[in-house]
Amino acid sequence: MPPRMLPEPTPETRHFWDGCRDGELRLQRCTACAESYFPPRPFCPKCGSRDVEVYKASGTGVLWSYVINQRPRPDMGTEPYAIAVVKLAEGPTMMTNIVDCPQTPEALQLDMPLKVAFAKQSDEITLPLFAPAGA
Amino acid sequence: MKPKSVAVVGAAETTKMGKIPDVSVIGLHADAALNAMADAGLKPSDIDGVATAGISPVELAHYLGITPTYADGTSVGGCSFMLHVRHAAAAINAGLATTILITHGESGRSRVGSSGFGRAPSSLMGQFEMPYGVAGPPTMFTIPVLRYLKTYGLKPEDMAPVATIQREWAAKNPRASFKDPLSVDDVMNADMIAWPFTKLMCCLVTDGGGALILTSAERAKDFPQKPVYVLGTGESVETPMVSQMEDFTSSKAFRVSGKKAFETAGIGHADIDHLMIYDAFAHLPLYGLEDLGFCKPGEAAGFIRERNTAPPKDGKGGGRLPLNTNGGGLSYMHSGMYGMYALQESVRQMRGIAPAQVDGAKISVCHGVGGMFAASGTIIFSNDAP
Ligand SMILES: [Zn+2]
């Protein structure tokens, strides 16, 4: 199996990937309008202010939507897997995979509570996957 | 005639469609362009504006021997050609060019001279979507739909009539890739691609192309074909990442683009005789019907199931809003950027020469999507001079 396709951080996203490596899900919010947002950027997409801060998010959310890919990408193994979107407690949505859960429509119910489960891929990159909150 | 009106005076698809292993991408652009020029009675030296996506307008102009005073390389996915039509109308009115050629060509199936899917790992999609196993449109465009279905109490099989009814339209079209009748069971029992989407809820993958030529409505009456006037236009973009759509049950780009097109055309929904909604996947006509205002949120699946968009069948008349009358991306053809084929069908319907012609159709809405709900363009055509 080829190595998994991994992100290449940029200066604007470095804090997010450093956070994942250190076991923290980091979001940004605007100090002017209090909006939390994702993906990372050095200004608020709602009001344009550059006065933003990085903070440690709760790492919780709900399963917002997904598909189950039946034709796995070569670097993703051989079994069907869900490509999911989690709606974080802080508001933003984020693409992810769901772990510790069968990859079936029966097991993957929309709005089920999820919590972040960090999955180390390399010294630099840890992916923020999500697991059922009760698991 | 309303001042500053613009019309389509040349329109054609590639000579062959479907599987064309002996023509490269740029060759498909050129074949469609030459066919459209023949349709309009023009030579390359008569064209002074070019627009295309997939390849650059520089490649197109040089390949065809055109020296333009206007070039548009807007490339926002499959609806790029709707945006090209919109920009061409503005450019003609601003005097940037008089006669603008818009082309599409794609070797989606045979992959002759074409590039693959993928984004730089440092791009936002490369960082925040690609690592989770997305593998092209079937695993990305489809992601919002479970939220849509749950919100409106619908099930995956409620999407199936989109495919079965478009197959009925395709059956009337000699150039359609698939013409055999299709049942809801056929759709639901087809190979699963990305649950809940089966293969028959996903578009075809074919080779082909198309081209349009636009000029001012004043000049249009001197051309060999019946002019097809541009009544109104809209465009918008939302996000390059489907996971960042503001609302998974509705496309903001669709709503903004559609509203602008209706406003500039100065018409209402009751005026529409014919509709094209880009259908890369079976849920897109549902989002389109709702976001363009033809149906209330959550009601499009029922609207289609009740045959409001269907052709006549078993002695019963057709629906009041014929939709995707070429068979759509699900049954007609889909090379990758389908918007051009939707525009071609609208033009054929307005010229009165479509294989599944809607009798007396005077106004056609052609609505496109680009990327995975990333972008949108809407063109409203009429065969009556505005
Ligand atoms: Zn703000």
Side-chain angles (χ1 to χ4, degrees):
Chain A
M1 188 162 88
R4 184 161 176 160
M5 201 178 282
L6 292 180
E8 224 171 68
T10 60
E12 297 85 356
T13 65
R14 173 73 60 188
H15 66 271
F16 179 85
W17 294 113
D18 285 353
C20 289
R21 185 195 58 205
D22 298 342
E24 280 188 5
L25 190 71
R26 292 179 185 161
L27 290 178
Q28 286 170 298
R29 81 185 142 213
C30 176
T31 46
C33 76
E35 176 91 347
S36 282
Y37 62 87
F38 179 84
R41 73 207 83 170
F43 57 89
C44 170
K46 193 175 173 193
C47 76
S49 169
R50 293 175 192 260
D51 193 4
V52 297
E53 60 182 359
V54 174
Y55 71 101
K56 182 184 171 185
S58 64
T60 62
V62 296
L63 180 56
W64 197 239
S65 206
Y66 67 94
V67 293
I68 303 173
N69 187 12
Q70 308 290 314
R71 300 184 303 173
R73 207 172 67 185
D75 61 323
M76 295 291 289
T78 54
E79 293 301 310
Y81 55 90
I83 303 166
V85 172
V86 55
K87 186 163 178 64
L88 299 170
E90 292 79 5
T93 53
M94 183 181 286
M95 191 175 279
T96 190
N97 299 123
I98 309 299
V99 295
D100 301 333
C101 182
Q103 304 291 289
T104 62
E106 296 72 31
L108 294 162
Q109 294 290 332
L110 292 201
D111 299 310
M112 67 194 270
L114 300 171
K115 60 170 195 252
V116 70
F118 291 105
K120 183 175 176 178
Q121 308 292 316
S122 69
D123 285 346
E124 184 185 24
I125 296 299
T126 292
L127 294 176
L129 308 183
F130 281 77
Chain B
M1 194 181 315
K2 219 159 118 185
K4 302 205 164 195
S5 295
V6 165
V8 175
V9 293
E13 294 173 344
T14 42
T15 309
K16 288 191 283 181
M17 289 215 295
K19 195 173 178 188
I20 319 173
D22 54 342
V23 185
S24 68
V25 169
I26 194 156
L28 294 167
H29 281 263
D31 179 50
L34 293 171
N35 286 345
M37 284 187 252
D39 183 61
L42 297 175
K43 303 182 299 299
S45 57
D46 299 319
I47 305 290
D48 60 359
V50 291
T52 193
I55 63 168
S56 106
V58 182
E59 289 173 87
L60 177 73
H62 185 257
Y63 201 64
L64 289 169
I66 293 168
T67 306
T69 60
Y70 168 83
D72 181 5
T74 302
S75 187
V76 293
C79 65
S80 297
F81 316 104
M82 281 80 173
L83 276 68
H84 295 155
V85 168
R86 185 167 201 249
H87 303 171
I92 289 165
N93 284 324
L96 307 187
T98 63
T99 315
I100 298 178
L101 169 71
I102 303 168
T103 69
H104 162 66
E106 206 161 0
S107 185
R109 178 169 174 156
S110 304
R111 318 292 308 163
V112 186
S114 65
S115 51
F117 174 81
R119 298 289 185 279
S122 61
S123 69
L124 288 177
M125 194 198 280
Q127 291 188 66
F128 299 110
E129 288 193 341
M130 298 296 286
Y132 305 108
V134 297
T139 56
M140 303 173 83
F141 225 148
T142 50
I143 283 178
V145 88
L146 283 187
R147 176 56 53 183
Y148 172 89
L149 295 176
K150 179 169 179 174
T151 299
Y152 298 117
L154 299 169
K155 296 194 158 40
E157 47 266 42
D158 291 314
M159 295 190 283
V162 174
T164 61
I165 288 172
Q166 286 188 200
R167 184 60 65 87
E168 293 179 28
W169 284 112
K172 300 173 182 297
N173 196 326
R175 266 161 77 93
S177 297
F178 289 132
K179 300 194 250 314
D180 294 340
L182 206 56
S183 70
V184 167
D185 283 346
D186 293 335
V187 175
M188 297 311 293
N189 294 331
D191 287 349
M192 192 60 72
I193 301 293
W195 187 86
F197 284 79
T198 69
K199 191 169 186 177
L200 292 174
M201 296 175 181
C202 303
C203 64
L204 303 162
V205 182
T206 53
D207 305 327
L212 295 170
I213 297 170
L214 280 84
T215 192
S216 69
E218 283 299 319
R219 285 182 71 214
K221 50 188 183 302
D222 302 327
F223 282 74
Q225 305 293 347
K226 180 175 176 175
V228 176
Y229 301 96
V230 176
L231 272 195
T233 63
E235 72 184 77
S236 191
V237 298
E238 184 180 355
T239 167
M241 299 161 71
V242 70
S243 64
Q244 300 306 313
M245 270 179 93
E246 194 174 86
D247 179 349
F248 277 25
T249 71
S250 166
S251 161
K252 183 163 77 173
F254 281 17
R255 298 193 307 271
V256 172
S257 176
K259 184 164 184 281
K260 192 82 182 167
F262 274 87
E263 278 172 9
T264 52
I267 57 162
H269 292 79
D271 300 318
I272 308 304
D273 303 308
H274 172 254
L275 176 62
M276 297 297 291
I277 297 176
Y278 190 131
D279 60 321
F281 296 92
H283 59 312
L284 289 169
L286 307 183
Y287 282 70
L289 282 167
E290 294 172 14
D291 291 338
L292 293 174
F294 289 100
C295 293
K296 293 200 181 90
E299 294 185 355
F303 185 77
I304 289 176
R305 190 180 56 241
E306 288 154 17
R307 302 190 61 79
N308 287 297
T309 63
K313 188 187 178 186
D314 302 334
K316 278 182 282 186
R320 63 185 162 90
L321 187 62
L323 168 67
N324 292 346
T325 49
N326 58 355
L330 297 176
S331 287
Y332 180 62
M333 86 91 68
H334 193 296
S335 52
M337 292 192 283
Y338 167 82
M340 177 57 81
Y341 309 100
L343 289 164
Q344 295 288 335
E345 175 66 6
S346 281
V347 169
R348 285 191 293 263
Q349 289 285 350
M350 293 297 94
R351 286 180 173 182
I353 58 163
Q357 181 63 40
V358 175
D359 287 339
K362 291 196 167 306
I363 298 183
S364 173
V365 172
C366 190
H367 180 72
V369 64
M372 272 55 81
F373 287 117
S376 188
T378 314
I379 306 295
I380 303 181
F381 292 108
S382 178
N383 47 24
D384 266 348

